[in-house]
Amino acid sequence: MPSSSVPLRKLGFLTIGLFDRGDPRAGHESTLDVIRLGEELGFDSAWVRHRHLQYGISSPVAVLAAASQRTSRIELGTAVIPLGWENPLRLAEDLATVDVLSGGRLNPGVSVGPPMHYGTVKGALYPDSGDAEDFSYRRVERLLDFVAGAPASDFSGVEGFEVFSERVEPHSAGLRARMWYGGASLRSAQWAGEHGMNFLTSSVVKAEESEDFASVQLSHVRAFRAHHPDGDRARVSQGLVVIPTDTATPAQRARYEAYAEKRLPRTSAPQGPGRLMFAPDLVGTSDEIAERLWAHAAFREIDEVAFALPFSFEHDDYVQILTDMATRLGPALGWRPSS
């Protein structure tokens, strides 16, 4: 282990929660079973992606509400909720409700920007205000204010038999400290730090300073902490795609390797007008993956991860991957399971 590295303190995983159009319940139940397995294996956190008008989780807050009633310890996160689809006041109510139900285990991750394919959905999402909606960081600020207990109304008190509050209810006092921002740019990293959020960095970054993925991600981690009140103690979670094969069958290994090979060409150079850089998927034994992670410049400066599960695998594949992560890869990185 390089001297500049620290043992992994928190091990998490991220799933997209795919389902079949004709039988959506089965996919959602599979996701809940995977989260419950994660708790049994000692993972510190389970995160769900957010997909609108696709066959992935469209309502992660609702899914995590269900997960909160099937687990008792594991932290539950979103990576990430695109706020362009959300009303910050209503989302603050939903987040606080699930946090209360979970006993303070919710870790909401959010991002900003116009909804994907906004031109095709604007009329349905914002029929009267589509051209006036603010998709800037101000949308996050509104959410943070409401979560923290800032007034949402200029009226409170009793009206007839009903009692009204000026703030979002229920109020969950610790939730503001568990708000995360998912960012791929240097500006986002700095903004998240300045606003006292936690920072999610994934397998996608913008090639701004260089075309070396690890170097760019490292610059984001350092910029975030340089602008955060907690400095080097500010929380960062890294979300690379990691597929250990220790107990995989030959057929599973072949499928995993083919999946990674198909996605590899996009990692060779920045993609599209946004100059997005993608990290290669890490496939191999836990010892092989650990060696590659310790050589990763950004990984060496963080002590939390939410390893991303591949999109399109079967439930049994996820069971094998998570089991190897918890029993082999995690310990190889210095992690110890929660009890």
Side-chain angles (χ1 to χ4, degrees):
M1 183 185 304
S3 60
S4 60
S5 302
V6 294
L8 189 63
R9 182 174 60 88
K10 284 183 175 287
L11 176 64
F13 66 91
L14 167 66
T15 179
I16 193 173
L18 290 180
F19 58 85
D20 183 81
R21 179 184 181 119
D23 184 19
R25 179 174 180 176
H28 285 80
E29 288 290 344
S30 175
T31 296
L32 293 172
D33 287 344
V34 163
I35 293 173
R36 183 164 50 193
L37 172 64
E39 176 163 280
E40 293 171 356
L41 289 170
F43 278 87
D44 297 290
S45 62
W47 303 72
V48 293
R49 292 184 184 271
H50 200 147
R51 289 293 184 268
H52 285 296
L53 306 182
Q54 294 179 262
Y55 304 110
I57 295 171
S58 63
S59 184
V61 181
V63 170
L64 294 183
S68 75
Q69 304 306 292
R70 303 190 188 192
T71 57
S72 61
R73 176 197 54 77
I74 195 168
E75 295 183 8
L76 305 168
T78 64
V80 289
I81 297 173
L83 289 188
W85 290 80
E86 305 288 342
N87 179 296
L89 173 56
R90 277 292 300 117
L91 181 59
E93 291 179 325
D94 288 346
L95 294 177
T97 299
V98 176
D99 196 46
V100 168
L101 290 172
S102 71
R105 291 186 283 137
L106 193 63
N107 282 259
V110 301
S111 66
V112 295
M116 185 180 293
H117 304 141
Y118 188 48
T120 68
V121 75
K122 179 170 65 173
L125 185 59
Y126 298 115
D128 302 315
S129 61
D131 293 329
E133 290 293 328
D134 182 359
F135 298 125
S136 71
Y137 292 120
R138 177 57 189 149
R139 212 173 184 93
V140 190
E141 292 173 351
R142 289 172 57 204
L143 176 64
L144 296 177
D145 287 345
F146 293 139
V147 166
S153 170
D154 58 7
F155 171 74
S156 63
V158 179
E159 185 175 81
F161 295 102
E162 297 187 67
V163 181
F164 291 83
S165 173
E166 78 288 353
R167 69 181 186 181
V168 164
E169 301 294 350
H171 176 68
S172 186
L175 183 57
R176 173 60 178 86
R178 284 179 272 112
M179 298 294 296
W180 295 74
Y181 190 85
S185 69
L186 189 62
R187 182 186 177 212
S188 290
Q190 293 175 350
W191 186 93
E194 290 167 353
H195 289 78
M197 300 184 74
N198 307 301
F199 188 59
L200 292 164
T201 179
S202 70
S203 57
V204 185
V205 298
K206 289 187 176 181
E208 296 168 315
E209 308 98 300
S210 77
E211 295 185 4
D212 177 73
F213 181 94
S215 297
V216 173
Q217 193 168 63
L218 176 61
S219 74
H220 294 176
V221 172
R222 289 180 172 175
F224 166 72
R225 286 177 167 158
H227 289 82
H228 197 287
D230 293 339
D232 290 343
R233 294 181 293 108
R235 294 180 67 184
V236 178
S237 180
Q238 185 187 48
L240 303 178
V241 178
V242 171
I243 311 175
T245 61
D246 302 89
T247 64
T249 66
Q252 284 175 318
R253 284 196 297 272
R255 188 163 63 253
Y256 301 165
E257 290 166 359
Y259 175 88
E261 185 67 24
K262 184 177 181 180
R263 286 157 49 96
L264 186 61
R266 68 177 187 164
T267 69
S268 62
Q271 304 292 302
R275 290 181 53 79
L276 298 179
M277 287 290 295
F278 294 85
D281 301 333
L282 303 183
V283 182
T285 67
S286 290
D287 286 343
E288 290 169 344
I289 292 174
E291 184 176 358
R292 293 179 68 181
L293 286 171
W294 289 128
H296 194 290
F299 178 83
R300 292 202 300 268
E301 294 206 9
I302 58 95
D303 62 1
E304 298 186 44
V305 295
F307 289 140
L309 297 175
F311 283 2
S312 55
F313 290 179
E314 299 298 323
H315 183 84
D316 288 347
D317 298 333
Y318 295 138
V319 171
Q320 175 264 312
I321 291 169
L322 288 176
T323 301
D324 282 358
M325 277 188 190
T327 61
R328 297 170 184 253
L329 177 57
L333 297 171
W335 174 81
R336 293 294 176 265
S338 299
S339 56

